[in-house]
Amino acid sequence: GAALICGIKKASKDWMVTIDTDISVSLIEINNWIKYKYLKIDKQIYFGSRNLKDSIIKFEYHRKLIGFFFMLICKFLLKIKLHDTQCGFKLYKKKIGKMLFKNLTEKKFAHDIEIVLLATKKKIEIIELPVEWKHKEDSKIHLIKDSLSIFWSIYKMKKKFNY
């Protein structure tokens, strides 16, 4: 989250893309979104989603299971209606991206959830689009330690956003 905040501050183009450092989703995915006419001029935020029927994912089953329970918790505790908040591939209209990241307080893995909650509060629609996603063996996430950190962040956001 902290690195993304820095990058978004410096971004100058009309659209900004954020992507995980392991590049589980290739930047070429933007070309696919354009090719299939997924992008609409009047929409502000697009999230890549590994959980859509047209997504192509290569994953380890324990990560898929953890992700499933994670989204259930987000849906139940925070009323999030998306299928996937944690896919690191996202596209923002500059004005909206800068506003959301300026108000972001979460600096770790749960920043995606705070982005969703901030957008929801501002009544900004998030469109989920399919991606081709590949699990990378040398991922920086530690399933136990980082999961606990994310759950603690969810608890704090539940209070902050009055859910």
Side-chain angles (χ1 to χ4, degrees):
L4 292 174
I5 291 168
C6 254
I8 293 291
K9 277 183 189 175
K10 294 179 183 200
S12 61
K13 302 297 179 190
D14 288 340
W15 287 91
M16 303 177 296
V17 66
T18 59
I19 186 169
D20 284 343
T21 57
D22 66 359
I23 312 174
S24 296
V25 176
S26 168
L27 278 171
I28 293 170
E29 199 65 53
I30 295 286
N31 291 337
N32 291 335
W33 289 359
I34 292 167
K35 175 182 169 184
Y36 294 113
K37 297 182 169 76
Y38 289 145
L39 303 179
K40 307 294 180 208
I41 196 74
D42 62 331
K43 301 302 178 188
Q44 310 289 327
I45 304 173
Y46 295 92
F47 275 24
S49 176
R50 298 163 292 189
N51 297 328
L52 298 178
K53 72 176 181 89
D54 291 334
S55 292
I56 300 166
I57 58 171
K58 296 177 182 157
F59 59 88
E60 294 178 349
Y61 282 97
H62 70 279
R63 288 190 60 144
K64 180 74 172 172
L65 187 63
I66 290 168
F68 173 77
F69 284 112
F70 176 77
M71 282 312 303
L72 277 180
I73 290 167
C74 287
K75 288 174 188 279
F76 179 72
L77 292 178
L78 301 173
K79 312 297 185 239
I80 290 176
K81 294 178 172 78
L82 300 176
H83 296 93
D84 185 3
T85 58
Q86 299 311 110
C87 178
F89 196 79
K90 298 173 174 69
L91 181 66
Y92 302 89
K93 190 77 173 150
K94 180 172 82 173
K95 177 181 163 190
I96 298 300
K98 286 193 176 279
M99 180 270 299
L100 292 174
F101 278 85
K102 183 177 81 174
N103 292 300
L104 198 64
T105 58
E106 183 58 47
K107 307 287 195 267
K108 295 183 180 178
F109 292 112
H111 73 276
D112 301 290
I113 300 161
E114 189 176 12
I115 292 276
V116 172
L117 297 175
L118 288 167
T120 301
K121 185 177 177 182
K122 299 279 187 186
K123 299 188 183 335
I124 301 167
E125 181 183 19
I126 297 171
I127 307 296
E128 288 184 281
L129 296 177
V131 292
E132 183 172 340
W133 184 91
K134 295 177 186 146
H135 170 74
K136 304 291 179 148
E137 290 302 320
D138 51 350
S139 175
K140 300 272 188 265
I141 193 162
H142 297 93
L143 289 179
I144 304 292
K145 183 180 83 168
D146 291 328
S147 293
L148 292 173
S149 172
I150 289 171
F151 289 126
W152 175 246
S153 295
I154 288 171
Y155 173 76
K156 291 187 299 186
M157 283 185 257
K158 181 173 173 45
K159 289 188 162 296
K160 176 181 176 180
F161 288 93
N162 297 316
Y163 283 103

